[in-house]
Amino acid sequence: MTDTELQADELLALTSIYDEPVIAISQDAEDVGGQFLSSVHLPDTTIKILSRREKSGNKDGKSIEEVHEVKFLPPVILNFQLPADYPSCSPPQFTLSCKWLNRKQLTALCHKLDEIWEENKGNEILFMWTSFLAEETMEFLGVESTIDLTNAFDSRKGSDTEPRAIQDIGSRDRLIPVVLDYDKQEKQCQFEKTMFQCKVCFSDRPGSSCIKFLDCDHVYCKDCMKDYFTVQIGEGNVTALSCPDEKCESQAHPSQVKALVNEELFDKYEKLLLRTGLDMMVDVMYCPRPACQYPVMLDRESNMGSCPSCSYSFCTLCKLVFHGKSPCRVKADGFKKLREEYQNADEENKRFLEKKYGKKTIEQALEEAFTNDWMESFAKQCPGCGAHIQKMDGCNKMTCMKCRSYFCWLCMSELSRNNPYKHFNQPGSKCHNRLFEGMDEDDDDFDIDDDMFF
């Protein structure tokens, strides 16, 4: 067979072994060759990437060591061109380029490819080269579980530099970001090709139809997570977009949420997420005006907030108009709540409430709430005027000393002014024959209305 036929057969064999874009072939009559992307074989476990950089403003000569774990590294790229007399006489012309291998390492690989050609001169050599680069590069260079990229970038070009060895990276600062970005992209590519069982609907889906929670690696199909996110955001539970696994608390990344829900729902999600974040900041409060609700930075020393949107100045303690050093006002129905809050508070919170409302207000709340509790326990309200009445002794026909109406102490019914005792004499009435119920045995046997009102 002629060299041309051997070249065509070899290139055809390579394209049947490797998929695009691993192999790219050009069979132009004047430019027969191609490109091979060699993703080097790595250990089953992740490998560590080390790098050291100078601390900004550092004067003591110390540097910061960065450690990253990756499963994929950018490929070693073999670009080759086949001479007309290959493989009978001449080897392929080639260059080797890589982002994370330095020129010394790339030079060693170039010389190894030359050595493989010399050992197999006159035979097709491309498959041997590609196999070596993919399977044996790490072992040949003595790289095991840790790669130190501290000195990987070398911009110097000496006379002994191998012209076929090209480090394909613009600057040292770009090296680590490029390596980490490639690792991320390859992990996503592998994820999309793998089949997973959704833990919600238990259907088998390819990774391209699933999402993986980044902190826990739990996988669910996009359909289930779209419904889940839609319901939670609709109910305002943006902090509840966690992994559905009952033992997991991983949160969905905003980019994952954006990829699944519509634009309107994602806008709501972002606003609620921002509000939740502001709520957690101790120096931020929303304007108390319902129509405004603009976030306001607080002045903790003066307890004053000033809304930059509507210019409303308010007390940060009671949310009412700023009242200077005067104590906060308590609403008429708030004394009982204030008493309960004060009695259940620890010493620090008691001091806070005293500062907020003043000690006199606290004392008034305690006294008034105690009086109200006592009256609820020992007094009843007149059904006519609502005055509080305590029954000291006497029969159950009561006379309100405020409105002078009659009523039954037992059932609180108003009684006839003409015949108030008829209520207790009617057969079938629940108060029948109960006029003197509850009286002590030594009380008088006649009706004495010894009642009081407050």
Side-chain angles (χ1 to χ4, degrees):
M1 294 180 68
T2 65
D3 284 339
T4 301
E5 292 173 331
L6 290 173
Q7 291 177 18
D9 289 347
E10 184 178 26
L11 294 177
L12 180 62
L14 288 175
T15 56
S16 66
I17 296 171
Y18 301 107
D19 297 327
E20 293 184 2
V22 174
I23 191 77
I25 300 297
S26 170
Q27 297 197 50
D28 189 290
E30 297 180 358
D31 183 23
V32 180
Q35 176 179 270
F36 176 72
L37 304 181
S38 174
S39 297
V40 296
H41 179 72
L42 300 177
D44 292 336
T45 57
T46 56
I47 62 173
K48 293 181 179 179
I49 301 294
L50 299 181
S51 180
R52 297 173 181 84
R53 60 183 177 83
E54 294 294 326
K55 291 176 65 176
S56 58
N58 183 23
K59 297 181 180 180
D60 55 8
K62 292 183 179 180
S63 60
I64 300 174
E65 183 176 90
E66 297 178 340
V67 180
H68 308 278
E69 291 190 355
V70 299
K71 285 187 68 70
F72 302 96
L73 289 169
V76 178
I77 302 175
L78 171 67
N79 291 95
F80 59 89
Q81 188 175 27
L82 304 183
D85 58 354
Y86 166 80
S88 61
C89 298
S90 302
Q93 299 173 1
F94 71 91
T95 60
L96 279 182
S97 60
C98 185
K99 298 183 185 299
W100 55 276
L101 290 176
N102 58 38
R103 285 194 175 87
K104 182 179 180 180
Q105 292 170 316
L106 289 169
T107 297
L109 289 176
C110 288
H111 294 166
K112 180 62 179 178
L113 297 186
D114 291 337
E115 182 181 322
I116 294 174
W117 163 256
E118 292 297 330
E119 293 174 353
N120 300 274
K121 193 172 184 179
N123 298 312
E124 297 91 332
I125 201 68
L126 290 177
F127 181 70
M128 294 185 187
W129 280 1
T130 58
S131 297
F132 167 77
L133 291 174
E135 302 295 333
E136 301 179 43
T137 294
M138 300 290 278
E139 182 180 355
F140 175 75
L141 296 176
V143 178
E144 295 180 353
S145 60
T146 302
I147 299 176
D148 191 345
L149 297 185
T150 303
N151 299 314
F153 181 81
D154 186 2
S155 60
R156 296 171 298 175
K157 294 183 179 180
S159 57
D160 58 343
T161 300
E162 169 62 67
R164 297 174 298 177
I166 303 170
Q167 187 173 27
D168 185 22
I169 188 72
S171 67
R172 185 194 307 271
D173 294 336
R174 288 289 303 149
L175 182 55
I176 290 293
V178 165
V179 170
L180 297 180
D181 187 57
Y182 181 83
D183 178 63
K184 180 180 178 181
Q185 292 179 18
E186 279 300 302
K187 285 178 180 176
Q188 181 62 27
C189 183
Q190 293 298 319
F191 172 78
E192 291 179 356
K193 296 177 182 178
T194 306
M195 294 296 295
F196 298 92
Q197 185 183 70
C198 174
K199 294 185 177 181
V200 175
C201 65
F202 301 105
S203 61
D204 292 328
R205 303 286 184 89
S208 57
S209 299
C210 299
I211 71 165
K212 177 171 65 175
F213 282 78
L214 303 181
D215 294 333
C216 63
D217 292 342
H218 290 152
V219 178
Y220 306 91
C221 75
K222 291 181 178 180
D223 291 339
C224 290
M225 289 300 96
K226 179 180 180 180
D227 293 341
Y228 173 55
F229 291 164
T230 299
V231 171
Q232 295 292 353
I233 297 173
E235 295 178 352
N237 300 325
V238 292
T239 57
L241 301 186
S242 55
C243 174
D245 191 297
E246 60 181 8
K247 297 181 180 179
C248 189
E249 297 181 356
S250 299
Q251 292 289 318
H253 193 274
S255 62
Q256 294 176 312
V257 180
K258 185 176 183 180
L260 294 183
V261 302
N262 60 48
E263 185 176 349
E264 181 181 353
L265 204 60
F266 185 72
D267 287 343
K268 180 179 180 180
Y269 164 77
E270 283 193 311
K271 291 176 181 177
L272 290 172
L273 201 63
L274 175 61
R275 188 179 185 92
T276 301
L278 292 174
D279 287 342
M280 296 176 66
M281 299 175 63
V282 296
D283 292 329
V284 174
M285 179 181 292
Y286 291 97
C287 176
R289 285 182 168 173
C292 182
Q293 296 290 293
Y294 195 86
V296 179
M297 294 297 295
L298 305 181
D299 182 354
R300 292 292 178 182
E301 294 183 1
S302 64
N303 296 325
M304 183 184 77
S306 181
C307 179
S309 178
C310 67
S311 302
Y312 177 56
S313 296
F314 58 93
C315 171
T316 60
L317 301 177
C318 64
K319 313 297 190 302
L320 300 177
V321 176
F322 185 65
H323 46 76
K325 295 184 178 181
S326 301
C328 299
R329 290 177 294 170
V330 182
K331 296 180 180 179
D333 58 350
F335 282 99
K336 182 176 180 179
K337 181 179 178 181
L338 176 58
R339 182 198 67 166
E340 293 175 351
E341 185 178 358
Y342 185 81
Q343 289 180 333
N344 294 326
D346 55 24
E347 291 302 319
E348 181 179 353
N349 284 325
K350 283 183 178 180
R351 287 193 295 270
F352 170 76
L353 291 173
E354 290 172 357
K355 176 183 177 182
K356 179 178 179 179
Y357 297 107
K359 285 188 176 182
K360 289 185 177 180
T361 303
I362 296 291
E363 292 173 357
Q364 181 184 351
L366 294 174
E367 182 177 332
E368 181 174 319
F370 177 78
T371 301
N372 290 337
D373 285 349
W374 186 91
M375 286 196 294
E376 288 178 4
S377 301
F378 300 102
K380 297 182 180 181
Q381 286 183 285
C382 168
C385 67
H388 284 86
I389 297 174
Q390 180 191 10
K391 183 174 181 291
M392 304 299 293
D393 51 25
C395 69
N396 290 318
K397 190 228 53 169
M398 305 294 290
T399 303
C400 176
M401 300 304 293
K402 185 174 183 181
C403 68
R404 306 305 299 179
S405 62
Y406 298 138
F407 65 93
C408 172
W409 180 258
L410 299 176
C411 67
M412 300 304 294
S413 300
E414 287 194 68
L415 304 180
S416 170
R417 286 189 175 274
N418 296 330
N419 187 5
Y421 298 103
K422 181 181 178 181
H423 176 75
F424 300 96
N425 296 327
Q426 285 182 324
S429 169
K430 62 179 180 180
C431 298
H432 181 237
N433 289 333
R434 298 177 65 188
L435 176 63
F436 300 106
E437 183 178 299
M439 290 180 59
D440 294 333
E441 293 181 357
D442 57 352
D443 284 344
D444 294 333
D445 292 333
F446 49 86
D447 180 21
I448 303 176
D449 292 335
D450 290 332
D451 38 25
M452 299 176 63
F453 78 93
F454 302 91

